[in-house]
Amino acid sequence: MKGVTILGSTGSIGESTLDVLSRHPDRYKVIALTANTDIDRLLEQCKQFQPEYLVVADSGAAEKMDVILRGSDQDVKLLSGVAGLEEVASLPQAEYVMAAIVGAAGLKPTLAAARSGKRILLANKESLVMSGHLLMEEVKKHHAELLPIDSEHNAIFQSMPVNFGKGLSKVGVRKILLTASGGPFRTTPLSQLDKVTPEQACAHPNWEMGKKISVDSATMMNKGLEVIEACWLFNTDPDRIQVVLHPQSVIHSMVEYVDGSVLAQLGNPDMRTPIAHALAWPERIESGVESLDIFSVARLDFEPPDYDRFPCLRLAYEAMHIGGTAPAILNAANEVAVQEFLEGRLAFTGISGLIEKTLKDVTPGTADSLETLYEADQQARLTAKGMVNAA
Ligand code: NAD
Ligand code: MG
């Protein structure tokens, strides 16, 4: 029996994780569940899964939850804030930690899980983008396991030789083919993109996800963040990663070897597959995902990405090439831009411009400590917000 902490249990990945866990009560026990503000959903999850701990990150929501729990028959410890998240990421009885908080807020609890030597099921790509070097170091130092949940990285992991940590050249890998659906605006006339609404941007053709990653998919910043994520996970530079538009989202990514072989992982676009894979690895368990009907898929299309349509993808490659704190600046500016877009203060086409200007304005430094990374993150957020307010 493995104990599992789910950071961000009320989100899209959190809910999918609980769905998989509910199919295997003999293998996994839920130890802790966490949310930022959605205490109603957290309480429902608490009643169903009977965890030992709940964390409500937001202090106001945590106070409300405290009152609710006092009046209920739930026997559960309530914690709050980042300290609470770090505590449940480090509990000895939770050997597995699902890192499914969205954005930079996920970094500290993920680091805590790494320092406690956990199996980390990493959905929170922003923590690797922001702090890849430090996070990978902590994983190594504390013998933690890092298993990718992002469907592409999980597919790459499944298509890689076991000893890929030695370096891709040493194990005969030529390149990684990172697939992307192209999101809802792959074929929308460029002249109409400035009128795109948050509702349209969040309506992804193949995947159901949280709002932030849905907008990231529409701008293809999501793929940019994934290029950076792949560099850290698979110890490679960005030039070995080719983004491939594949509108059907059936191939989740591919690995090309020096002998010309290309290995791919296919499946229905449902996050329960990578979640079940990472939970059970190296074994396999049922995930609830339907069999892939290859005949109804019928065809698989591939296109090179269009960097004029998707400037965010180019910006992510550039930030990774610059290195140091540049990816953290990119990530912070993107988080601000997405929020401003969702709240109606920035046009869809303004997202990439805001990130590009922030990258020009904030000078990147070396990413040698968490403090320097948070400084870069804060400076980028202030700069980006200042630009929106001045506009
Ligand atoms: P979501 O918005 O649906 O859920 C986010 C979760 O994080 C919620 O439980 C929320 O309460 C919590 N949260 C938000 N802000 C917080 C804060 N400041 N402090 C503590 N908790 C906070 O997001 P999601 O779609 O489930 O995505 C989660 C992560 O997984 C993201 O990093 C995303 O990029 C990644 N991911 C998601 C998918 C997907 O299909 N949804 C696929 C691949 C990767
Ligand atoms: Mg992905």
Side-chain angles (χ1 to χ4, degrees), residues 30-103:
V30 176
I31 304 293
L33 297 172
T34 87
N36 190 29
T37 53
D38 189 357
I39 52 175
D40 296 337
R41 186 65 195 126
L42 191 65
L43 186 63
E44 284 168 14
Q45 292 180 342
C46 176
K47 288 180 182 159
Q48 186 181 350
F49 291 94
Q50 299 288 307
E52 294 174 27
Y53 290 85
L54 292 180
V55 184
V56 178
D58 179 82
S59 59
E63 278 171 31
K64 282 190 200 141
M65 189 63 156
D66 189 39
V67 174
I68 293 171
L69 286 175
R70 279 171 201 277
S72 82
D73 56 359
Q74 294 303 303
D75 180 20
V76 65
K77 295 184 198 80
L78 176 67
L79 304 174
S80 70
V82 179
L85 296 170
E86 288 175 317
E87 187 174 334
V88 295
S90 320
L91 292 169
Q93 65 272 42
E95 293 141 284
Y96 291 7
V97 175
M98 164 56 80
I101 289 173
V102 59

Side-chain angles (χ1 to χ4, degrees), residues 47-360:
K47 288 180 182 159
Q48 186 181 350
F49 291 94
Q50 299 288 307
E52 294 174 27
Y53 290 85
L54 292 180
V55 184
V56 178
D58 179 82
S59 59
E63 278 171 31
K64 282 190 200 141
M65 189 63 156
D66 189 39
V67 174
I68 293 171
L69 286 175
R70 279 171 201 277
S72 82
D73 56 359
Q74 294 303 303
D75 180 20
V76 65
K77 295 184 198 80
L78 176 67
L79 304 174
S80 70
V82 179
L85 296 170
E86 288 175 317
E87 187 174 334
V88 295
S90 320
L91 292 169
Q93 65 272 42
E95 293 141 284
Y96 291 7
V97 175
M98 164 56 80
I101 289 173
V102 59
L107 175 59
K108 281 189 176 168
T110 307
L111 276 170
R115 290 183 183 127
S116 313
K118 304 298 184 197
R119 171 178 290 200
I120 303 170
L121 288 70
L122 187 75
N124 175 239
K125 64 191 87 187
E126 293 91 346
S127 57
L128 266 184
V129 171
M130 207 181 149
S131 173
H133 181 62
L134 289 181
L135 182 55
M136 295 310 286
E137 265 191 351
E138 296 291 359
V139 165
K140 221 172 166 179
K141 194 161 139 199
H142 300 279
H143 308 290
E145 279 178 314
L146 194 58
L147 293 173
I149 294 299
D150 218 338
S151 56
E152 296 78 3
H153 304 73
N154 186 270
I156 295 163
F157 182 88
Q158 294 196 46
S159 308
M160 278 280 176
V162 277
N163 52 353
F164 69 80
K166 287 184 184 170
L168 298 192
S169 305
K170 293 210 173 78
V171 296
V173 171
R174 190 180 283 153
K175 65 180 177 197
I176 290 172
L177 298 157
L178 185 70
T179 55
S181 69
F185 310 130
R186 187 175 54 91
T187 56
T188 307
L190 288 180
S191 60
Q192 287 175 19
L193 285 182
D194 58 337
K195 290 181 206 71
V196 156
T197 64
E199 290 68 33
Q200 290 168 322
C202 289
H204 195 280
N206 306 337
W207 299 92
E208 262 184 57
M209 309 178 286
K211 277 193 176 148
K212 195 252 174 186
I213 185 175
S214 297
V215 177
D216 284 349
S217 298
T219 61
M220 276 193 83
M221 178 54 94
N222 182 50
K223 213 46 55 181
L225 301 179
E226 289 185 359
V227 168
I228 301 174
E229 183 186 12
C231 288
W232 291 113
L233 284 171
F234 303 110
N235 189 17
T236 181
D237 59 73
D239 298 333
R240 265 185 205 255
I241 303 173
Q242 171 68 57
V243 172
V244 179
L245 287 194
H246 165 48
Q248 291 91 354
S249 296
V250 166
I251 294 184
H252 299 307
S253 277
M254 300 174 257
V255 174
E256 182 184 322
Y257 287 79
V258 288
D259 62 4
S261 301
V262 178
L263 301 193
Q265 184 258 4
L266 287 72
N268 282 320
D270 187 322
M271 291 307 291
R272 290 176 301 176
T273 295
I275 291 167
H277 170 266
L279 277 169
W281 184 80
E283 293 172 24
R284 297 274 178 174
I285 54 170
E286 292 275 349
S287 64
V289 176
E290 276 182 32
S291 218
L292 176 67
D293 182 352
I294 204 100
F295 299 115
S296 75
V297 173
R299 56 179 283 178
L300 300 171
D301 294 306
F302 306 103
E303 297 164 20
D306 175 351
Y307 289 92
D308 292 329
R309 177 178 290 274
F310 299 115
C312 285
L313 184 56
R314 171 179 54 79
L315 292 173
Y317 269 101
E318 281 171 17
M320 193 58 191
H321 277 298
I322 296 168
T325 56
I329 296 167
L330 171 98
N331 179 64
N334 181 54
E335 286 190 26
V336 171
V338 170
Q339 197 59 34
E340 297 291 331
F341 166 67
L342 285 172
E343 289 171 16
R345 287 187 296 271
L346 185 67
F348 181 75
T349 41
I351 295 177
S352 61
L354 188 67
I355 300 166
E356 185 153 24
K357 281 193 219 128
T358 308
L359 273 169
K360 282 207 180 98

